[in-house]
DNA sequence: CGCTATGTTGATCCATATCAATAAGTGTGG
DNA sequence: CCACACTTATTGATATGGATCAACATAGCG
């Protein structure tokens, strides 16, 4: 595995990393301290970057590509989330110096920045703006998972899919058509259903103005879809 | 409602609040600043303390009694968690100055300390140890919700109940018998099932050495129950 | 006590999973 | 550029976990 990866100095990505909310407020000095210990690696698709249960040695930042967070129990596996650039993942494990709760694998060729968890913990003790950013980020992460729990417990799989499509559409500036960012198989798992059930769910949403051609989704009747999906800011608003 | 409540100075509870992880490391000065704006109130059972969607004006700390966090969507309701003393709740909303994602109601007569969210946000900017404690607490909260998501997505309701019972037993120092801390109706909702289904689930667990008399649970064959439940630290360990 | 909420049990229904077969992409090497 | 292999998606048939509806039992509680 290792020989297929490329290691490079993180210099070339300073800009994009620094621009992240998490790092934008800290002092130059603190930022350089973090970057000194960091390195960038490029991974091929389908590489397991992280295995749940292992100690969290690095904070990960996805610079390019895409990464899937998933979990396993008793021979079953479920997709917890999909990470798109540019964002960090497994911050909480890094902070608590606790084992990863989720595994991570690349979905496509991906570039990842690795910052030693030790450095993250050391630096936030010294840099109040950074500590503040971590607080805000963790609170955000927490709220995202709570929303996801509400989605899972309060909605049927058909309702979850309908609301997912509305969220995706919003992410695409409200375009009537857009491509699903991940395989249907993985989407099914993310939404807590089987691929077969997802396939049928798409069929059922035709009645509410959803057309599907491969990965391409057309929402022909937003109003009707919303009437069915009943989106709610306390579940579906990605910010706040 | 209001006239049934008692407002009292928080002085008498300084000790227990200060002993919480969240407040134990901060300076005396910061702590007093928080307490100056805080007040303690006693509520009767079944009072809605918080309604989801409302602005998060106060950080809540439960001193005595018990509080249920729940959420609603489209005429459906689900129990998200039960809070027992002494602990804080809705920290994330306070931090982000965002609307509550969950509602809260007292289950029994409860004493709650209310700290203005503004004060919390102001103080952590000034007090690094407090900021540090908030970070650790939020990371913990996040990991708890992630574990709960894994429980929901990877297990059947029978498996969730079995593991819940094992966790409760552990919480009771491994006693063979213990009382459920909440109504079965609410437990069912917490575990993502109906009361009828829970009732049958208890029946089904008889085969694995679980005896039920009202709220009292007897675990007569821990080994057998564990063989069925397959508890996993990355889902069931409350700490870490 | 009797009232009301909670819990249990039974019968049935429905959403979703599972199993199986086919179809449609997708990538690879000749 | 096509043929093959392999993965992913769809469709159908069936099984099952869990929900719903209804009746009854039980237990708190005023």
């Amino acid at each position: 595995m290792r020989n297929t990866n490329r290691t490079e100095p993180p210099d070339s990505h300073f800009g994009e990393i620094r621009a992240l909310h998490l790092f934008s407020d800290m002092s130059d000095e603190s930022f350089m301290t973090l970057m000194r210990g960091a390195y960038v690696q490029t991974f091929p698709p389908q590489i397991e970057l992280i295995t749940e249960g292992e100690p969290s040695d690095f904070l990960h930042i996805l610079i390019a590509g895409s990464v899937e967070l998933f979990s396993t129990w008793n021979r079953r596996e479920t997709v917890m989330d999909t990470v798109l650039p540019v964002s960090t993942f497994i911050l909480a494990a890094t902070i608590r110096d606790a084992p990863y709760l989720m595994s991570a694998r690349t979905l496509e060729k991906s570039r990842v920045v690795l910052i030693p968890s030790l450095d993250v913990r050391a630096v936030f003790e010294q840099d109040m703006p950074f500590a503040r950013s971590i607080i805000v980020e963790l609170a955000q992460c927490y709220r995202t998972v709570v929303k996801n729990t509400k989605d899972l417990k309060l909605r049927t799989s058909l309702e979850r899919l309908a609301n997912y499509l509305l969220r995706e559409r919003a992410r695409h500036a409200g375009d009537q058509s857009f491509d699903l960012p991940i395989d249907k198989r993985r989407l099914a798992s993310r939404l807590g259903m089987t691929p077969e059930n997802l396939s049928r769910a798409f069929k059922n949403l035709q009645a509410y103005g959803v057309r599907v051609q491969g990965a391409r989704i057309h929402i022909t009747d937003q109003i009707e879809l919303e009437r069915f999906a009943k989106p709610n800011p306390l579940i579906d608003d990605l910010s706040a």
Side-chain angles (χ1 to χ4, degrees), chain A residues 7 11 47 56 66 87 99 109 127 152 157 170 172 187 221 224:
Chain A
T7 301
D11 319 34
I47 294 296
S56 51
S66 58
S87 42
K109 188 183 171 202
D127 188 306
L152 276 173
S157 61
H172 288 82
L187 175 59
D221 190 344
E224 193 55 24

Side-chain angles (χ1 to χ4, degrees), chain A residues 2 5 7 25 32 103 151 158 163 167 176-177 191 219:
Chain A
R2 286 298 158 201
N5 304 333
T7 301
D25 290 347
M32 288 320 283
S103 302
D151 192 47
L158 193 60
N163 280 292
R167 290 195 302 268
Q176 200 195 307
S177 303
L191 294 176
I219 295 186

Side-chain angles (χ1 to χ4, degrees), chain A residues 23-39:
Chain A
F23 302 105
S24 59
D25 290 347
M26 67 198 309
S27 74
D28 287 334
E29 192 196 334
S30 300
F31 184 68
M32 288 320 283
T33 304
L34 283 186
M35 288 305 111
R36 253 196 299 281
Y39 61 100

Side-chain angles (χ1 to χ4, degrees), chain A residues 116-130:
Chain A
S117 297
L118 263 171
D119 293 348
V120 175
R121 290 194 294 270
V123 168
F124 87 68
E125 300 269 4
Q126 314 287 26
D127 188 306
M128 188 57 188
F130 185 42

Side-chain angles (χ1 to χ4, degrees), chain A residues 5-174:
Chain A
N5 304 333
R6 259 174 56 239
T7 301
E8 43 173 314
D11 319 34
S12 43
H13 305 286
F14 275 14
E16 9 183 22
I17 299 173
R18 188 83 159 117
L20 289 175
H21 296 306
L22 191 57
F23 302 105
S24 59
D25 290 347
M26 67 198 309
S27 74
D28 287 334
E29 192 196 334
S30 300
F31 184 68
M32 288 320 283
T33 304
L34 283 186
M35 288 305 111
R36 253 196 299 281
Y39 61 100
V40 181
Q41 238 179 328
T42 302
F43 297 93
Q46 304 301 334
I47 294 296
E48 192 161 319
L49 301 175
I50 284 175
T51 303
E52 59 179 87
E54 292 186 352
S56 51
D57 296 327
F58 297 96
L59 175 63
H60 289 55
I61 307 171
L62 180 68
I63 295 294
S66 58
V67 168
E68 174 175 270
L69 303 180
F70 64 101
S71 282
T72 313
W73 178 79
N74 192 30
R75 311 246 143 219
R76 295 168 214 166
E77 179 180 315
T78 191
V79 173
M80 300 290 286
D81 202 2
T82 304
V83 182
L84 298 177
V86 180
S87 42
T88 65
F89 52 100
I90 47 116
L91 176 58
T94 287
I95 293 298
R96 287 201 71 95
D97 194 13
Y100 297 126
L101 293 181
M102 299 182 274
S103 302
R105 73 165 72 92
T106 56
L107 292 178
E108 38 186 330
K109 188 183 171 202
S110 298
R111 229 173 21 248
V112 179
V113 181
L114 300 154
I115 305 179
S117 297
L118 263 171
D119 293 348
V120 175
R121 290 194 294 270
V123 168
F124 87 68
E125 300 269 4
Q126 314 287 26
D127 188 306
M128 188 57 188
F130 185 42
R132 201 192 161 285
S133 296
I134 290 179
I135 287 176
V136 171
E137 175 93 357
L138 281 174
Q140 167 69 18
C141 290
Y142 173 78
R143 287 168 65 86
T144 300
V145 189
V146 167
K147 286 175 198 163
N148 188 49
T149 303
K150 292 170 66 173
D151 192 47
L152 276 173
K153 290 185 79 177
L154 290 167
R155 290 173 171 162
T156 66
S157 61
L158 193 60
E159 289 163 346
R160 288 199 295 278
L161 176 60
N163 280 292
Y164 171 84
L165 293 177
L166 289 171
R167 290 195 302 268
E168 272 305 300
R169 183 185 185 173
R171 228 171 45 82
H172 288 82

